[in-house]
Amino acid sequence: MMFKHIVILTGAGISAESGIPVFRSETGLWENHRIEDVCVPEALIRDPLTVHEFYNTMRRSLPSKEPNPAHRAIARLQQEWPAQGGQVTLITQNIDDLHERAGSMQVIHMHGALKSIWCTACGRRFYWDEDSSPDSKCPHCGKPALRPDIVFFGEMPYHMDEISDALSDCDLFLAVGTSGVVYPAAGFCQYARAAKALCVEFNLEKSAVASNFHYGRYSKAGVTVPSFVEELLTSGKAQGWNEA
Ligand code: NAD
Protein backbone atom coordinates (compact mmCIF):
# COMPACT_ATOMS: atom_id res chain seq x y z
CA MET A 1 0.00 0.00 0.00
CA MET A 2 1.36 3.34 -1.02
CA PHE A 3 -0.49 5.76 1.28
CA LYS A 4 -0.83 5.27 5.04
CA HIS A 5 -2.93 8.34 5.85
CA ILE A 6 -5.22 9.93 3.27
CA VAL A 7 -6.79 13.29 4.14
CA ILE A 8 -9.73 14.42 2.03
CA LEU A 9 -11.10 17.97 2.05
CA THR A 10 -14.45 18.51 0.37
CA GLY A 11 -16.25 21.72 -0.57
CA ALA A 12 -19.53 22.81 -2.06
CA GLY A 13 -18.62 21.37 -5.50
CA ILE A 14 -18.96 17.79 -4.30
CA SER A 15 -22.64 18.39 -3.52
CA ALA A 16 -23.37 20.31 -6.73
CA GLU A 17 -24.34 17.15 -8.63
CA SER A 18 -26.78 16.38 -5.79
CA GLY A 19 -28.58 19.65 -6.55
CA ILE A 20 -27.15 21.83 -3.75
CA PRO A 21 -25.92 25.12 -5.25
CA VAL A 22 -22.26 26.05 -4.75
CA PHE A 23 -21.28 29.15 -2.88
CA ARG A 24 -19.59 31.31 -5.47
CA SER A 25 -22.08 31.78 -8.28
CA GLU A 26 -21.58 34.39 -10.98
CA THR A 27 -24.07 36.63 -9.18
CA GLY A 28 -22.00 36.50 -5.98
CA LEU A 29 -25.14 35.41 -4.12
CA TRP A 30 -25.64 32.29 -2.00
CA GLU A 31 -29.13 30.88 -2.58
CA ASN A 32 -30.24 34.39 -3.62
CA HIS A 33 -28.85 36.04 -0.49
CA ARG A 34 -25.90 38.34 0.01
CA ILE A 35 -23.20 36.73 2.19
CA GLU A 36 -23.25 39.72 4.55
CA ASP A 37 -26.99 39.18 5.18
CA VAL A 38 -26.78 35.54 6.25
CA CYS A 39 -23.21 34.46 6.84
CA VAL A 40 -21.55 36.98 9.16
CA PRO A 41 -21.99 37.38 12.95
CA GLU A 42 -23.36 40.93 12.54
CA ALA A 43 -26.30 39.60 10.50
CA LEU A 44 -27.38 37.51 13.46
CA ILE A 45 -27.56 40.65 15.60
CA ARG A 46 -29.11 42.87 12.93
CA ASP A 47 -31.72 40.49 11.52
CA PRO A 48 -31.75 37.12 13.32
CA LEU A 49 -35.06 36.05 11.80
CA THR A 50 -33.65 36.23 8.26
CA VAL A 51 -30.57 34.26 9.29
CA HIS A 52 -32.63 31.50 10.97
CA GLU A 53 -35.01 31.34 8.02
CA PHE A 54 -32.14 31.07 5.54
CA TYR A 55 -30.72 27.97 7.26
CA ASN A 56 -34.25 26.60 7.93
CA THR A 57 -34.87 26.61 4.19
CA MET A 58 -31.62 24.78 3.49
CA ARG A 59 -32.26 22.25 6.29
CA ARG A 60 -35.79 21.59 5.02
CA SER A 61 -34.43 20.86 1.53
CA LEU A 62 -31.97 18.18 2.69
CA PRO A 63 -34.36 15.18 2.51
CA SER A 64 -34.93 15.90 -1.19
CA LYS A 65 -31.16 15.72 -1.95
CA GLU A 66 -29.34 12.44 -2.40
CA PRO A 67 -25.63 11.67 -2.05
CA ASN A 68 -23.94 11.26 -5.43
CA PRO A 69 -21.20 8.85 -6.60
CA ALA A 70 -18.44 11.12 -5.25
CA HIS A 71 -19.85 11.02 -1.70
CA ARG A 72 -20.32 7.27 -1.98
CA ALA A 73 -16.80 6.66 -3.31
CA ILE A 74 -15.29 8.56 -0.37
CA ALA A 75 -17.42 6.52 2.07
CA ARG A 76 -16.20 3.35 0.33
CA LEU A 77 -12.58 4.46 0.67
CA GLN A 78 -13.11 5.18 4.38
CA GLN A 79 -14.60 1.72 4.85
CA GLU A 80 -12.10 -0.27 2.77
CA TRP A 81 -8.76 1.53 3.14
CA PRO A 82 -8.28 0.54 6.82
CA ALA A 83 -8.42 -3.14 5.73
CA GLN A 84 -5.31 -2.36 3.66
CA GLY A 85 -3.65 -0.90 6.76
CA GLY A 86 -4.38 2.74 6.04
CA GLN A 87 -6.38 5.58 7.54
CA VAL A 88 -8.72 8.12 5.92
CA THR A 89 -9.62 11.46 7.50
CA LEU A 90 -12.56 13.29 5.92
CA ILE A 91 -12.85 17.04 6.44
CA THR A 92 -15.73 18.91 4.87
CA GLN A 93 -16.50 22.60 4.53
CA ASN A 94 -20.06 21.61 3.72
CA ILE A 95 -22.94 22.00 6.11
CA ASP A 96 -25.14 19.41 4.39
CA ASP A 97 -25.42 15.79 5.57
CA LEU A 98 -24.64 14.01 2.30
CA HIS A 99 -21.35 12.45 3.44
CA GLU A 100 -23.08 10.86 6.41
CA ARG A 101 -25.98 9.66 4.27
CA ALA A 102 -23.50 8.15 1.80
CA GLY A 103 -22.12 6.02 4.65
CA SER A 104 -19.18 8.06 5.98
CA MET A 105 -19.03 7.34 9.71
CA GLN A 106 -16.59 10.05 10.71
CA VAL A 107 -16.90 13.50 9.13
CA ILE A 108 -15.15 16.60 10.43
CA HIS A 109 -17.55 19.49 9.73
CA MET A 110 -15.13 22.40 10.00
CA HIS A 111 -17.80 24.99 9.09
CA GLY A 112 -20.62 23.49 11.19
CA ALA A 113 -23.70 21.59 10.15
CA LEU A 114 -27.32 22.31 9.29
CA LYS A 115 -28.44 19.46 11.55
CA SER A 116 -26.86 21.00 14.63
CA ILE A 117 -27.83 23.95 16.79
CA TRP A 118 -25.73 25.88 19.29
CA CYS A 119 -26.92 27.58 22.46
CA THR A 120 -24.95 30.77 22.93
CA ALA A 121 -26.11 30.97 26.58
CA CYS A 122 -24.96 27.58 27.91
CA GLY A 123 -22.60 26.66 25.06
CA ARG A 124 -24.17 23.25 24.36
CA ARG A 125 -24.80 21.85 20.90
CA PHE A 126 -27.73 19.65 19.96
CA TYR A 127 -28.77 17.52 17.02
CA TRP A 128 -31.47 19.64 15.32
CA ASP A 129 -33.78 18.52 12.56
CA GLU A 130 -36.50 21.17 12.69
CA ASP A 131 -36.91 24.89 12.07
CA SER A 132 -35.35 27.35 14.52
CA SER A 133 -36.10 31.00 15.27
CA PRO A 134 -34.73 33.70 17.57
CA ASP A 135 -37.42 32.58 20.06
CA SER A 136 -36.48 28.88 20.05
CA LYS A 137 -35.56 27.71 23.55
CA CYS A 138 -32.44 25.74 24.41
CA PRO A 139 -33.41 22.14 25.33
CA HIS A 140 -30.95 22.30 28.25
CA CYS A 141 -31.00 25.79 29.81
CA GLY A 142 -34.33 27.00 28.38
CA LYS A 143 -32.97 30.34 27.20
CA PRO A 144 -33.98 31.70 23.77
CA ALA A 145 -30.33 31.83 22.69
CA LEU A 146 -30.07 29.27 19.91
CA ARG A 147 -28.24 30.01 16.67
CA PRO A 148 -27.59 27.85 13.62
CA ASP A 149 -24.39 25.90 14.28
CA ILE A 150 -22.65 27.40 11.26
CA VAL A 151 -19.21 29.03 11.21
CA PHE A 152 -19.72 32.52 9.83
CA PHE A 153 -17.09 34.56 8.02
CA GLY A 154 -14.71 35.97 10.59
CA GLU A 155 -15.29 33.10 13.04
CA MET A 156 -12.83 30.33 13.88
CA PRO A 157 -13.55 27.04 12.08
CA TYR A 158 -14.13 23.98 14.26
CA HIS A 159 -11.73 21.09 15.01
CA MET A 160 -8.60 22.93 13.87
CA ASP A 161 -6.31 20.97 16.24
CA GLU A 162 -7.55 17.66 14.89
CA ILE A 163 -7.25 18.93 11.31
CA SER A 164 -3.75 20.22 11.87
CA ASP A 165 -2.65 16.85 13.33
CA ALA A 166 -4.13 15.00 10.34
CA LEU A 167 -2.49 17.29 7.78
CA SER A 168 0.92 16.99 9.38
CA ASP A 169 0.60 13.18 9.33
CA CYS A 170 -0.85 12.60 5.85
CA ASP A 171 0.90 11.25 2.76
CA LEU A 172 -1.97 11.81 0.31
CA PHE A 173 -4.14 14.94 0.34
CA LEU A 174 -7.22 15.20 -1.87
CA ALA A 175 -9.30 18.37 -2.30
CA VAL A 176 -12.68 17.87 -3.96
CA GLY A 177 -14.95 20.64 -5.27
CA THR A 178 -13.47 23.55 -3.38
CA SER A 179 -12.61 26.91 -4.93
CA GLY A 180 -9.50 27.56 -2.85
CA VAL A 181 -10.75 30.99 -1.85
CA VAL A 182 -12.02 30.44 1.70
CA TYR A 183 -9.22 30.24 4.29
CA PRO A 184 -7.97 28.44 6.30
CA ALA A 185 -9.20 25.48 4.19
CA ALA A 186 -7.60 26.94 1.06
CA GLY A 187 -4.21 26.68 2.79
CA PHE A 188 -4.49 23.02 3.85
CA CYS A 189 -2.64 21.82 0.75
CA GLN A 190 0.44 23.76 1.80
CA TYR A 191 0.41 22.06 5.22
CA ALA A 192 0.03 18.67 3.55
CA ARG A 193 2.93 19.43 1.22
CA ALA A 194 5.08 20.40 4.16
CA ALA A 195 4.39 16.87 5.43
CA LYS A 196 5.59 15.58 2.00
CA ALA A 197 2.10 14.43 0.98
CA LEU A 198 1.10 13.98 -2.63
CA CYS A 199 -1.64 16.55 -3.30
CA VAL A 200 -4.39 16.13 -5.91
CA GLU A 201 -7.38 18.37 -6.60
CA PHE A 202 -10.68 17.42 -8.20
CA ASN A 203 -12.63 20.26 -9.73
CA LEU A 204 -14.37 21.36 -12.91
CA GLU A 205 -11.53 23.81 -13.43
CA LYS A 206 -8.29 24.82 -11.75
CA SER A 207 -8.97 26.29 -8.32
CA ALA A 208 -7.43 29.52 -7.04
CA VAL A 209 -4.72 27.44 -5.34
CA ALA A 210 -4.19 24.84 -8.09
CA SER A 211 -0.48 25.60 -8.32
CA ASN A 212 -0.02 24.21 -4.79
CA PHE A 213 -1.17 20.75 -5.93
CA HIS A 214 0.96 18.18 -7.71
CA TYR A 215 -1.81 17.60 -10.22
CA GLY A 216 -5.56 17.76 -10.71
CA ARG A 217 -8.41 15.89 -12.33
CA TYR A 218 -10.70 18.36 -13.98
CA SER A 219 -14.20 17.08 -14.62
CA LYS A 220 -17.30 16.32 -12.53
CA ALA A 221 -16.44 14.96 -9.09
CA GLY A 222 -19.15 12.32 -9.55
CA VAL A 223 -16.94 10.82 -12.27
CA THR A 224 -13.35 11.60 -11.25
CA VAL A 225 -13.58 10.68 -7.56
CA PRO A 226 -15.07 7.17 -8.02
CA SER A 227 -12.48 6.30 -10.67
CA PHE A 228 -9.62 7.59 -8.49
CA VAL A 229 -10.91 5.59 -5.52
CA GLU A 230 -11.22 2.48 -7.67
CA GLU A 231 -7.59 2.90 -8.79
CA LEU A 232 -6.44 3.33 -5.21
CA LEU A 233 -8.33 0.31 -3.92
CA THR A 234 -7.25 -2.01 -6.72
CA SER A 235 -3.59 -1.02 -7.10
CA GLY A 236 -2.78 0.92 -3.93
CA LYS A 237 -1.90 3.96 -6.01
CA ALA A 238 -3.54 6.18 -8.62
CA GLN A 239 -2.63 6.75 -12.24
CA GLY A 240 -0.75 9.99 -12.59
CA TRP A 241 0.65 9.88 -9.05
CA ASN A 242 4.15 9.69 -10.46
CA GLU A 243 3.61 13.01 -12.27
CA ALA A 244 4.42 14.64 -8.94
P1 NAD B 1 -17.26 27.32 -3.60
O1 NAD B 1 -18.69 27.46 -3.95
O2 NAD B 1 -16.46 28.53 -3.32
O3 NAD B 1 -16.54 26.53 -4.79
C1 NAD B 1 -17.10 25.37 -5.34
C2 NAD B 1 -16.06 24.73 -6.23
O4 NAD B 1 -16.58 23.51 -6.71
C3 NAD B 1 -15.70 25.58 -7.46
O5 NAD B 1 -14.29 25.65 -7.56
C4 NAD B 1 -16.30 24.81 -8.62
O6 NAD B 1 -15.52 24.89 -9.81
C5 NAD B 1 -16.30 23.39 -8.09
N1 NAD B 1 -17.35 22.52 -8.64
C6 NAD B 1 -18.62 22.85 -8.96
N2 NAD B 1 -19.28 21.77 -9.40
C7 NAD B 1 -18.40 20.74 -9.37
C8 NAD B 1 -18.49 19.36 -9.72
N3 NAD B 1 -19.61 18.82 -10.18
N4 NAD B 1 -17.38 18.59 -9.58
C9 NAD B 1 -16.21 19.12 -9.11
N5 NAD B 1 -16.09 20.42 -8.75
C10 NAD B 1 -17.17 21.22 -8.89
O7 NAD B 1 -17.17 26.29 -2.39
P2 NAD B 1 -16.16 26.10 -1.20
O8 NAD B 1 -14.76 26.23 -1.69
O9 NAD B 1 -16.58 24.87 -0.50
O10 NAD B 1 -16.40 27.35 -0.21
C11 NAD B 1 -17.70 27.79 0.03
C12 NAD B 1 -18.20 27.76 1.46
O11 NAD B 1 -19.65 27.74 1.38
C13 NAD B 1 -17.84 26.54 2.25
O12 NAD B 1 -17.24 26.99 3.37
C14 NAD B 1 -19.15 25.86 2.62
O13 NAD B 1 -19.30 25.85 4.03
C15 NAD B 1 -20.27 26.74 2.14
N6 NAD B 1 -21.27 26.01 1.30
C16 NAD B 1 -21.68 24.76 1.63
C17 NAD B 1 -22.57 24.10 0.82
C18 NAD B 1 -23.01 22.71 1.20
O14 NAD B 1 -23.04 22.38 2.38
N7 NAD B 1 -23.32 21.83 0.23
C19 NAD B 1 -23.06 24.69 -0.33
C20 NAD B 1 -22.63 26.00 -0.63
C21 NAD B 1 -21.72 26.65 0.20
Side-chain angles (χ1 to χ4, degrees):
M1 186 194 55
M2 176 142 282
F3 304 109
K4 284 202 160 45
H5 190 170
I6 302 171
V7 173
I8 306 172
L9 170 70
T10 65
I14 196 172
S15 296
E17 289 162 66
S18 297
I20 300 181
V22 297
F23 198 54
R24 254 151 254 287
S25 65
E26 281 171 12
T27 58
L29 300 176
W30 188 17
E31 304 250 358
N32 297 319
H33 286 71
R34 296 185 317 154
I35 307 302
E36 53 271 37
D37 290 339
V38 292
C39 206
V40 297
E42 296 75 21
L44 205 52
I45 297 162
R46 201 174 51 234
D47 186 359
L49 190 58
T50 296
V51 175
H52 279 270
E53 266 309 310
F54 177 76
Y55 294 101
N56 286 341
T57 304
M58 287 181 74
R59 193 184 302 107
R60 268 185 239 133
S61 78
L62 288 179
S64 68
K65 315 293 181 193
E66 291 300 325
N68 66 55
H71 297 105
R72 285 196 285 273
I74 289 172
R76 180 184 168 209
L77 188 64
Q78 279 188 300
Q79 284 152 15
E80 296 184 21
W81 200 241
Q84 300 197 24
Q87 179 187 354
V88 180
T89 300
L90 175 58
I91 306 161
T92 189
Q93 299 168 86
N94 294 344
I95 56 177
D96 66 49
D97 61 351
L98 296 182
H99 281 304
E100 285 87 349
R101 284 166 53 206
S104 283
M105 303 294 280
Q106 286 178 320
V107 188
I108 299 173
H109 279 274
M110 64 176 289
H111 290 165
L114 284 166
K115 293 242 179 132
S116 177
I117 205 120
W118 173 26
C119 177
T120 57
C122 72
R124 287 179 172 76
R125 290 181 163 80
F126 305 92
Y127 176 81
W128 197 263
D129 200 13
E130 54 199 82
D131 283 358
S132 63
S133 81
D135 299 325
S136 300
K137 303 236 177 3
C138 171
H140 179 77
C141 73
K143 297 209 172 101
L146 298 178
R147 63 165 266 187
D149 194 6
I150 307 294
V151 176
F152 293 150
F153 281 96
E155 296 181 330
M156 181 66 83
Y158 300 152
H159 312 296
M160 287 307 293
D161 287 347
E162 195 182 344
I163 291 170
S164 169
D165 288 348
L167 290 170
S168 60
D169 182 57
C170 74
D171 46 12
L172 177 62
F173 175 73
L174 311 177
V176 183
T178 179
S179 57
V181 174
V182 179
Y183 280 83
F188 287 176
C189 179
Q190 284 164 299
Y191 285 98
R193 281 199 73 146
K196 306 263 185 290
L198 174 69
C199 300
V200 187
E201 77 167 356
F202 300 77
N203 204 309
L204 294 179
E205 58 192 15
K206 289 192 171 187
S207 75
V209 290
S211 62
N212 292 334
F213 289 82
H214 291 100
Y215 71 99
R217 293 195 172 183
Y218 298 106
S219 186
K220 288 184 173 179
V223 174
T224 55
V225 175
S227 68
F228 188 89
V229 166
E230 182 66 30
E231 288 164 28
L232 271 182
L233 287 171
T234 52
S235 68
K237 61 184 184 183
Q239 283 169 20
W241 68 274
N242 52 356
E243 289 166 19

